[in-house]
Amino acid sequence: MNINGLTFVDDFIIFCNGSRDSVKETCNFLKHYEKVSGQSISREKTCFIVGKGASQTKVNMIARITRFTKGKLSLTYLGINVFKGAKSIFLFEDMISKIKEKVNDWSGKNLSYGGRLILVQTVLTSLPFLPHIMC
């Protein structure tokens, strides 16, 4: 089975077409992952997301097979909002406030311009950015 998705340590986003067989294969993959890794999938933190055109019957089928709750975009993955549609500044407010908070913490420190530049570069490169936004 080809698994399409994003992974980072123990955080997964898995994509499938929503057919009964695809959903069952994905669940079998997750069960196999639990067995091999010794980790458990957290049902409280796990959800599925369907497109706008998905029927209520499909949503019910996915919920019944996976036993996950239905989520919606935008969601946060590795601290970054994942969304569909036009970018809007409110989607990045959490990230911007975190950066501002870090910069404000440094305001009391006596760093040279070069020191501040290196500090900002270090923090920005340590933030997890997704290479692509879902479209």
Side-chain angles (χ1 to χ4, degrees):
M1 173 180 176
N2 278 337
I3 298 294
N4 296 313
L6 304 170
T7 61
F8 182 79
V9 186
D10 61 354
D11 288 324
F12 294 78
I13 295 180
I14 299 174
F15 304 93
C16 72
N17 66 16
S19 70
R20 182 179 306 277
D21 289 342
S22 181
V23 172
K24 284 182 178 181
E25 283 186 46
T26 301
C27 286
N28 289 337
F29 167 78
L30 292 173
K31 287 176 189 171
H32 181 72
Y33 172 82
E34 287 179 317
K35 184 178 177 182
V36 170
S37 70
Q39 294 180 327
S40 296
I41 305 297
S42 171
R43 301 242 175 246
E44 298 79 35
K45 296 180 182 179
T46 306
C47 68
F48 67 92
I49 299 170
V50 296
K52 289 182 182 178
S55 69
Q56 189 60 44
T57 304
K58 180 162 298 256
V59 170
N60 293 342
M61 178 268 298
I62 295 171
R64 187 176 57 254
I65 293 171
T66 63
R67 297 190 332 256
F68 300 147
T69 59
K70 181 179 177 280
K72 60 182 179 178
L73 290 179
S74 120
L75 64 93
T76 302
Y77 179 70
L78 302 178
I80 303 296
N81 285 325
V82 179
F83 60 93
K84 180 179 179 180
K87 296 171 187 76
S88 181
I89 191 68
F90 82 90
L91 294 167
F92 301 96
E93 286 176 349
D94 288 342
M95 185 186 341
I96 291 168
S97 67
K98 287 178 187 176
I99 292 169
K100 282 182 180 178
E101 188 177 304
K102 294 229 184 245
V103 170
N104 287 337
D105 287 346
W106 306 328
S107 64
K109 299 177 181 170
N110 295 325
L111 293 175
S112 67
Y113 176 78
R116 287 189 302 247
L117 181 61
I118 289 172
L119 201 50
V120 168
Q121 287 175 335
T122 302
V123 168
L124 290 178
T125 57
S126 71
L127 291 174
F129 290 99
L130 291 177
H132 300 287
I133 302 299
M134 291 172 41
C135 296

